[in-house]
Amino acid sequence: MRVLIATEKPFAKKAVDGIKGIIESAGFETVLLEKYTDKADLLKAVADVEAIIIRSDKVTAEVIDAAKNLKIVVRAGAGYDNVDLAAATARGIVVMNTPGQNSNAVAELALGMMVFMARNQFQSGTGTELQGKTLGIHAYGNVGKLVGRKGKALGMNVVAFDPFITDAKVFEADGVKKVDSVEELYKVSDYLSLHIPATEQTKKSIGHALLTSMPKGATLVNTARKEVIDEAGLAQALTEREDLKYVTDIAADTQAELNEKFGLRVFGTPKKMGAETAEANINAGLAAANQIVGFLKHGDTKFQVNK
Ligand code: 3PG
């Protein structure tokens, strides 16, 4: 059996070595495709493999069609919006993610980005502190929880909303206050950390109305997905409210325009940065390799997302 590691944005070498070790000790072969720039390279590489490990690489219907022997795709990370689940399911291909494995890296970056914006992107001028500010967490999953915990350690008041968690005790157990609606969350958050996935329901759901309801001087921190932002609404809100800020590790489609118009009030990293740590690569990459071995050898489908 052949396992392809297809990573346009490569894992750290230690992670690649670890993945190979797991796959090869199980008696399988690894194939490595890194830093590819042409979709044709991916289509060629998938042709004769049974399993694929990806990051944000796009596994479209075309890729699935080209992968005639494919049994399993594991997204080494949380969000699997880059995989055409319907096409995979139609072919009986198992799709998994590795939830929680890169969460700490993303959470640390979210807090780092808050400090970065509070200190004027490390340019001159008087900044502000995070202590005493209200940190709102939009979606209380693995990353949201860690952001809350780290925010509390910095002396922030942490509040959260998650459409799928109605029991206040889940939040209270972490010393976090549950708010009852998205609208209420944005209204009270000096820093709003976004952790919603990109789905048909959430795409373009964060825009002008929510942003302009935020307190004076508020910052929206997006380490989730660029697709959840209504970029026209964001630009409008930043125009009307000269106190608002936006920071993201997934540059907006209109990032160059935002930078030009709003200067130090906006910032976007050129490549998705949240999970870019050696630790996260190792955690997620090795988990992906173990999940593939578990599935191919024992039929283990614990982390399957298209059941
Ligand atoms: C995730 O969904 O796990 C993160 O967005 C990380 O994506 P990456 O593997 O492309 O860095």
Side-chain angles (χ1 to χ4, degrees):
M1 299 250 201
R2 288 158 65 87
V3 180
L4 171 70
I5 306 169
T7 47
E8 180 269 318
K9 193 173 61 179
F11 289 121
K13 187 180 176 308
K14 220 173 157 186
V16 176
D17 291 345
I19 295 169
K20 281 186 177 168
I22 293 167
I23 301 292
E24 283 157 28
S25 323
F28 305 145
E29 193 188 324
T30 37
V31 182
L32 188 59
L33 175 69
E34 288 182 329
K35 292 188 190 169
Y36 58 93
T37 48
D38 194 341
K39 190 177 64 178
D41 294 337
L42 180 62
L43 293 174
K44 201 168 146 210
V46 301
D48 58 354
V49 301
E50 278 75 21
I52 312 178
I53 296 175
I54 50 162
R55 295 185 65 179
S56 290
D57 305 79
K58 289 193 172 41
V59 176
T60 59
E62 189 185 6
V63 173
I64 286 168
D65 192 46
K68 299 293 181 215
N69 302 332
L70 191 61
K71 294 182 170 35
I72 177 169
V73 177
V74 181
R75 193 281 189 242
Y80 45 87
D81 47 310
N82 49 325
V83 181
D84 188 329
L85 284 193
T89 307
R91 277 267 313 279
I93 295 164
V94 168
V95 180
M96 296 186 188
N97 64 351
T98 64
Q101 300 291 351
N102 59 17
S103 303
N104 189 65
V106 181
E108 279 190 13
L109 186 73
L111 267 297
M113 284 184 143
M114 290 177 212
V115 174
F116 182 60
M117 296 307 278
R119 300 301 182 97
N120 305 316
Q121 299 193 17
F122 304 153
Q123 310 286 319
S124 61
T126 306
T128 54
E129 298 176 18
L130 301 190
Q131 179 168 258
K133 306 297 188 300
T134 296
L135 167 60
I137 313 279
H138 189 170
Y140 203 61
N142 290 315
V143 184
K145 278 185 191 137
L146 284 170
V147 170
R149 196 182 298 169
K150 292 174 198 301
K152 281 177 69 68
L154 292 177
M156 303 181 86
N157 309 312
V158 183
V159 299
F161 173 77
D162 188 307
F164 301 105
I165 307 176
T166 47
D167 185 357
K169 288 196 196 86
V170 173
F171 302 92
E172 282 160 17
D174 298 333
V176 169
K177 185 174 174 281
K178 173 184 179 291
V179 296
D180 293 324
S181 67
V182 178
E183 287 74 19
E184 196 186 331
L185 183 72
Y186 282 70
K187 231 177 249 170
V188 299
S189 298
D190 298 307
Y191 288 86
L192 191 296
S193 199
L194 258 179
H195 302 292
I196 54 177
T199 65
E200 286 321 306
Q201 290 73 41
T202 64
K203 280 181 188 165
K204 287 191 192 292
S205 65
I206 312 300
H208 180 265
L210 288 174
L211 282 157
T212 51
S213 75
M214 293 178 81
K216 192 167 168 28
T219 301
L220 177 65
V221 183
N222 181 11
T223 55
R225 288 290 181 270
K226 72 175 175 187
E227 290 82 1
V228 303
I229 304 290
D230 166 9
E231 292 188 16
L234 167 68
Q236 185 62 30
L238 289 165
T239 303
E240 285 171 23
R241 289 270 309 269
E242 291 188 3
D243 57 303
L244 291 179
K245 296 180 184 175
Y246 178 65
V247 62
T248 182
D249 77 327
I250 334 109
D253 290 335
T254 52
Q255 194 66 43
E257 289 159 49
L258 294 174
N259 293 346
E260 188 171 331
K261 267 193 180 159
F262 305 111
L264 294 180
R265 291 166 55 212
V266 297
F267 182 82
T269 58
K271 280 237 174 195
K272 187 153 41 141
M273 283 284 298
E276 277 299 78
T277 66
E279 293 90 335
N281 284 182
I282 292 166
N283 291 342
L286 271 52
N290 281 320
Q291 288 172 212
I292 284 176
V293 171
F295 173 72
L296 293 177
K297 290 222 162 193
H298 314 292
D300 186 351
T301 56
K302 182 166 175 210
F303 295 103
Q304 185 174 354
V305 295
N306 64 336
K307 269 184 186 163

